[in-house]
Amino acid sequence: MRHGLTRRSLLGSGLGLTAGLALSGCGNGPELPPASLNADVRLPDYIPFEGIETPLPGTPDGVPNGYLHYPAEPAVAHPDGPPARGDGISVMTLIFNPVPPPPDRNTYWRALNDSIGTDLSFEIVPVADYANKTAVVVAGGDLPDAMAVVPQTGQRPAMFHALFQDLSEHLSGSAVRDYPNLANIPTRSWATTVYNGGIYGLPMPRAAAGSVMFYRADRVRELSLNPQPADFAEFEELCLGLTDPRDHRYAVGDPLTTFYFVLEMLGAPNKWREENGRFQWWLEHETVGQALESMRRLNEAGVIHPDGFNVVGRFKDWFGNGQIAINYDGNVAWNDYYRAYAATTDGPFEIGGMVAPGYDGGPGTHWAGLSSFATLVLKKAPRDRIRQLLCAFDALAAPFGTDAYLLRKYGVRGVDHELDGTDPILTDTGAVETTLPTLFVTDAPSALYLPEWPDVVHQQHRFHQRAVDVLTLNPAEGLYSDTAVSRGDQLELRVLDEVKAIMRGRASVSSFTGVIADWRREAGDRIRAEYEESWESFH
């Protein structure tokens, strides 16, 4: 299964607890360029790929392109041959899956190297260990040619300035045209790479609607329920209809993500709200009290799985096996659920996605996900070496519809995949070999495609259209607060523990005022001030 990647999964892995890095040699280096230079950075030109017909076109606002089948004749990504001929390239990045076999036992990896023209040497680190590994590598100074830096990494401005290449001369404005696949990455994703008045790395683009409130459409249809509630009352009615404790079936499993969905109904901020350069944290917002009261109501009605407050990591399986019928998850989980459960479930298996309605009717909101999962930074090197690295990573961003994308995602025909018509279907070998984490180096913009169940793509495309229409961005994405890195996630987890206590009736809604006061005093006001200062540097 290819895991959905969300901020929650990062927090659960421990990356959210990363403290500032001990940067060997950085403290005595030259002073950082003034942050005000960020406002003058020209991001790469956006030149969308138009090499194939798109049956379900996306939009500039963030709806991904949708495809029912892979082109019978894929576009040739590298007509002049392997683009990055030269010395091998070392990359350090993370993985959520088991580590794939090494190149001598991995047909896919060898073919990928051949197509690029150099040996990609991956140091693949399990996600739970990535924070510590990053700190050790940076402090020790033995850097790979490129490495993924996640948003939870501290001292990023100093680290980037001291150790990694400013890529502005290679990528700013029209310069990116030398790398057409990188030019195909939307501008919003590049905004997260700007530090110290320069472009310090490559984005890992992700879909604008990063999450989905999934529902089991088969069960909803069986019970003649309405899967698209018009307000909170109808959502509550749907939850009650999906709950049958005698059969160990409940509407929802995860109370926290259901709380997020209610906040989307109420128009709450997506992590932060910015107005005239002033920031407000999402759990400070005036709608939180109403959302907490609503969640207490759902809990008292018995629609939340009785173990939902106490377990972690079980919600996918509960949703797949039918114990719960509604689950908030990363948008890539849509394909995962079909591949993991559709073939093994007795009876029909069908899922859909709902967008939060307004709490009292009308439109609600949908919180945007990260526009870039992380940043790939390149070790300082001579210009020709940087160009070779960029050519290699440009190849790893080849878009859907190209022969390079087909190889990168599905491997070698006859070994890693077989064709069903024109569509690649992974073999058991391919499911193991193709977990090489190229999507945590860089990637093409998201495309909606599910070759085993092509009709599902229509549903996915309609969901993204609805979600993007009411999208709420996080204005703090791309900004930097060292206090947020070192303390923000721990404090947020503590506040969310209090949120769960209130939902369960173990604390009063009124007590939450004191919880927020503690958050402000301990670090929240400092985080806010640092984000406001960072915002000023871009404006």
Side-chain angles (χ1 to χ4, degrees), residues 66-270:
Y67 302 92
L68 305 182
H69 300 287
Y70 213 84
E73 297 184 7
V76 177
H78 311 301
D80 298 326
R85 296 181 183 92
D87 293 342
I89 297 171
S90 58
V91 181
M92 188 180 93
T93 192
L94 59 119
I95 197 169
F96 285 73
N97 297 307
V99 175
D104 62 345
R105 293 187 286 112
N106 192 322
T107 302
Y108 160 77
W109 195 336
R110 293 196 302 272
L112 187 67
N113 285 346
D114 290 343
S115 73
I116 293 173
T118 190
D119 289 337
L120 294 176
S121 174
F122 276 83
E123 183 170 6
I124 303 171
V125 183
V127 62
D129 301 325
Y130 199 71
N132 289 336
K133 181 65 176 180
T134 300
V136 169
V137 167
V138 170
D142 187 14
L143 300 173
D145 294 309
M147 62 184 286
V149 175
V150 298
Q152 292 76 21
T153 304
Q155 299 182 27
R156 293 197 300 278
M159 180 175 75
F160 289 177
H161 181 62
L163 302 175
F164 297 103
Q165 188 73 41
D166 178 356
L167 300 173
S168 300
E169 69 167 301
H170 301 273
L171 299 175
S172 182
S174 62
V176 78
R177 293 172 184 267
D178 289 342
Y179 311 99
N181 300 321
L182 297 178
N184 182 49
I185 295 176
T187 302
R188 180 171 167 249
S189 296
W190 286 102
T192 64
T193 68
V194 176
Y195 293 84
N196 307 316
I199 298 172
Y200 278 86
L202 308 179
M204 304 175 194
R206 299 296 186 258
S211 56
V212 183
M213 184 59 111
F214 291 105
Y215 64 89
R216 285 290 298 265
D218 48 11
R219 183 152 171 76
V220 167
R221 185 181 301 108
E222 174 191 350
L223 296 170
S224 300
L225 299 171
N226 173 20
Q228 301 295 337
D231 53 28
F232 176 79
E234 289 190 7
F235 177 71
E236 182 179 29
E237 182 180 344
L238 172 63
C239 290
L240 289 167
L242 289 167
T243 299
D244 184 358
R246 294 168 300 179
D247 199 25
H248 304 289
R249 290 191 172 192
Y250 300 88
V252 298
D254 187 348
L256 279 180
T257 54
T258 307
F259 174 60
Y260 302 164
F261 190 67
V262 175
L263 285 170
E264 287 179 325
M265 294 185 194
L266 290 162
N270 179 0

Side-chain angles (χ1 to χ4, degrees), residues 365-381:
T365 63
H366 186 85
W367 291 349
L370 293 172
S371 63
S372 175
F373 176 83
T375 301
L376 185 80
V377 292
L378 278 55
K379 180 175 66 175
K380 290 184 177 182

Side-chain angles (χ1 to χ4, degrees), residues 68-72 406 410 413-414 417-427 449-454:
L68 305 182
H69 300 287
Y70 213 84
L406 181 62
Y410 294 93
R413 182 179 175 184
H417 75 263
E418 299 290 353
L419 289 184
D420 180 4
T422 64
D423 293 311
I425 307 297
L426 284 176
T427 64
Y449 177 62
L450 184 55
E452 300 93 332
W453 291 273

Side-chain angles (χ1 to χ4, degrees), residues 299-320:
N299 186 50
E300 290 168 359
V303 304
I304 301 174
H305 193 293
D307 295 327
F309 284 96
N310 302 313
V311 304
V312 175
R314 298 284 302 279
F315 307 121
K316 280 181 182 290
D317 283 341
W318 288 354
F319 184 73

